[in-house]
Amino acid sequence: MSDNDALKIKESDIARYIHRLVQDATSYLEETTGDRERAWNYYRGDMSEDLPVNQAGRSKAVSRDLRNIVKKLMPSIMRTIFGGEKIVEYLPRSQEDEEMAEQATDYVNCVLMPEESIEDEIYDAIMDALIIKTGILKWSAYQYTQNQISTYENISEPDLLGLIDSDSEILEHETTEETDPNILLMYPDAMRHSLTLRTKVEETKPCIECINRGDFLINEGATSIEDAVIVGERSFLTRSELISMGYDKKQVGDLAQSDNLSSGQEEVSGDYTSDQYEAMNATQTVEVYEVYVKIDLDDDGIAELYRVVYGERGAEKGLGAAGYVILGQELVSEAPY
């Protein structure tokens, strides 16, 4: 058996083990689905399940005390968190950390807070906590690769050389004669250029987001996120979004299309050219799990915390690694929830 075969078997074992944990956490989540839906119905004043509107002799009046109390509490809670000049302040552990702590404090309060809608996310998490007993916040930094399209008209040869690099691709290009004598003195064969340029731009976007409780996974019996064997979330993303986040294009293409199709989407089937298929395939929605799981991969008897991103393999792609595709796997210090 080759090293590659051993690696595939090990990855297969990891995927099966993690998916069993996800299934257990999903079953635990589904046990409380009814309670969460009922709580939201009470908040909206919908008592149809408990007091059928057509039941003879029963009052149709509904008290909205829960909604009124929550609406009354929210401004006070939000003022407690956001009422001061600084939402958060980092404290240095030593004298050498003072400058870094000050920069971190300024960055969060002056950059992240106004630019990333953090107040709205915290508001949603507090609402969830008041109504369905659990509000989940996640902090993270996503890395994206985007294609930026730029158009340039009548630029010189030196300017063109400054624009082109290994991440750029010229889509359209027209040339005319150069008339600037200074440029012709340096570049006798110079031309003027009009072009459309596609450039890959990498961006890191830090954010805090409220996670839907119906998508949040944690194992039954966990008393906190820190002691959970597995914690994470289920997401529905397009293949294009996953590739822009840096995941391998071929692996993303192996993922099964989600049954949770958004409006206007349909399964890609039928006779299409390869270009048409690629275009439609990029906007397909797939179901992906991002989980933080304690597992002993180095066989030292101690379970470490790993971040694993995976999804199910499409049936038409073959079983491969036990029917799952692991998009990413890394050792981490904590779960960001």
Side-chain angles (χ1 to χ4, degrees):
M1 179 184 299
S2 69
D3 291 341
N4 288 337
D5 291 337
L7 182 61
K8 289 179 182 178
I9 292 174
K10 189 172 184 180
E11 181 177 293
S12 170
D13 292 339
I14 294 169
R16 283 198 299 267
Y17 171 72
I18 293 175
H19 194 65
R20 283 199 299 269
L21 292 177
V22 166
Q23 288 178 317
D24 291 342
T26 301
S27 298
Y28 174 53
L29 176 67
E30 291 173 350
E31 292 175 6
T32 59
T33 298
D35 292 337
R36 292 196 305 275
E37 291 178 350
R38 189 175 299 110
W40 278 111
N41 287 339
Y42 287 176
Y43 175 77
R44 291 189 290 263
D46 179 3
M47 299 285 291
S48 57
E49 287 189 12
D50 300 285
L51 298 174
V53 294
N54 296 323
Q55 188 171 343
R58 299 298 296 269
S59 171
K60 296 181 181 180
V62 175
S63 171
R64 289 181 168 81
D65 290 357
L66 174 61
R67 182 184 181 92
N68 294 337
I69 291 173
V70 170
K71 290 291 187 181
K72 184 177 180 179
L73 286 174
M74 284 303 298
S76 299
I77 296 174
M78 295 300 289
R79 277 197 301 271
T80 301
I81 299 174
F82 293 96
E85 293 183 0
K86 296 179 180 179
I87 309 307
V88 63
E89 182 174 4
Y90 293 90
L91 299 178
R93 292 186 176 182
S94 63
Q95 188 173 357
E96 291 77 14
D97 296 333
E98 290 182 359
E99 184 177 355
M100 183 180 295
E102 183 178 348
Q103 291 177 354
T105 300
D106 291 341
Y107 181 70
V108 171
N109 289 284
C110 301
V111 179
L112 288 187
M113 290 303 301
E115 292 185 2
E116 303 300 335
S117 303
I118 290 177
E119 185 171 349
D120 293 339
E121 299 295 329
I122 293 177
Y123 183 96
D124 291 342
I126 294 173
M127 283 283 288
D128 286 348
L130 289 174
I131 297 171
I132 61 173
K133 303 180 182 180
T134 309
I136 306 296
L137 280 171
K138 176 186 179 182
W139 66 93
S140 55
Y142 294 107
Q143 290 184 325
Y144 294 95
T145 301
Q146 302 288 348
N147 284 328
Q148 179 176 301
I149 306 298
S150 305
T151 301
Y152 302 90
E153 298 287 343
N154 198 34
I155 63 173
S156 66
E157 195 89 21
D159 290 339
L160 175 65
L161 294 175
L163 290 173
I164 306 300
D165 58 31
S166 58
D167 293 326
S168 301
E169 178 184 357
I170 296 177
L171 301 179
E172 298 178 1
H173 187 199
E174 295 180 358
T175 59
T176 57
E177 292 185 4
E178 179 61 73
T179 57
D180 189 331
N182 294 324
I183 294 179
L184 288 172
L185 186 62
M186 298 178 60
Y187 303 93
D189 298 327
M191 304 290 287
R192 306 293 294 185
H193 301 268
S194 297
L195 68 153
T196 299
L197 194 66
R198 178 167 60 196
T199 306
K200 288 187 176 180
V201 179
E202 293 187 356
E203 176 186 4
T204 300
K205 183 180 180 182
C207 66
I208 291 179
E209 53 189 325
C210 176
I211 303 300
N212 187 333
R213 182 62 183 93
D215 293 326
F216 180 72
L217 302 172
I218 190 168
N219 63 280
E220 185 176 8
T223 58
S224 68
I225 289 174
E226 288 76 20
D227 74 6
V229 175
I230 187 170
V231 62
E233 64 189 282
R234 175 184 59 182
S235 301
F236 295 94
L237 301 169
T238 65
R239 299 187 198 275
S240 176
E241 287 173 322
L242 286 169
I243 293 171
S244 72
M245 294 166 69
Y247 295 113
D248 181 74
K249 179 181 177 181
K250 183 181 183 305
Q251 287 186 308
V252 171
D254 287 343
L255 293 172
Q257 183 176 3
S258 170
D259 293 331
N260 185 30
L261 298 178
S262 60
S263 177
Q265 281 193 325
E266 59 182 24
E267 272 193 69
V268 176
S269 60
D271 296 326
Y272 296 100
T273 67
S274 59
D275 290 342
Q276 289 172 328
Y277 180 83
E278 286 292 333
M280 298 177 68
N281 192 49
T283 58
Q284 283 183 347
T285 298
V286 294
E287 184 177 8
V288 177
Y289 293 92
E290 177 186 351
V291 295
Y292 295 78
V293 57
K294 293 178 180 177
I295 187 170
D296 178 21
L297 293 184
D298 54 11
D299 200 27
D300 64 353
I302 301 174
E304 291 90 12
L305 185 66
Y306 283 84
R307 173 183 179 266
V308 180
V309 180
Y310 82 98
E312 293 194 43
R313 189 181 300 273
E316 73 281 2
K317 306 295 183 180
L319 288 178
Y324 311 110
V325 180
I326 294 182
L327 299 176
Q329 175 182 310
E330 61 179 326
L331 186 66
V332 295
S333 59
E334 62 180 341
Y337 299 100

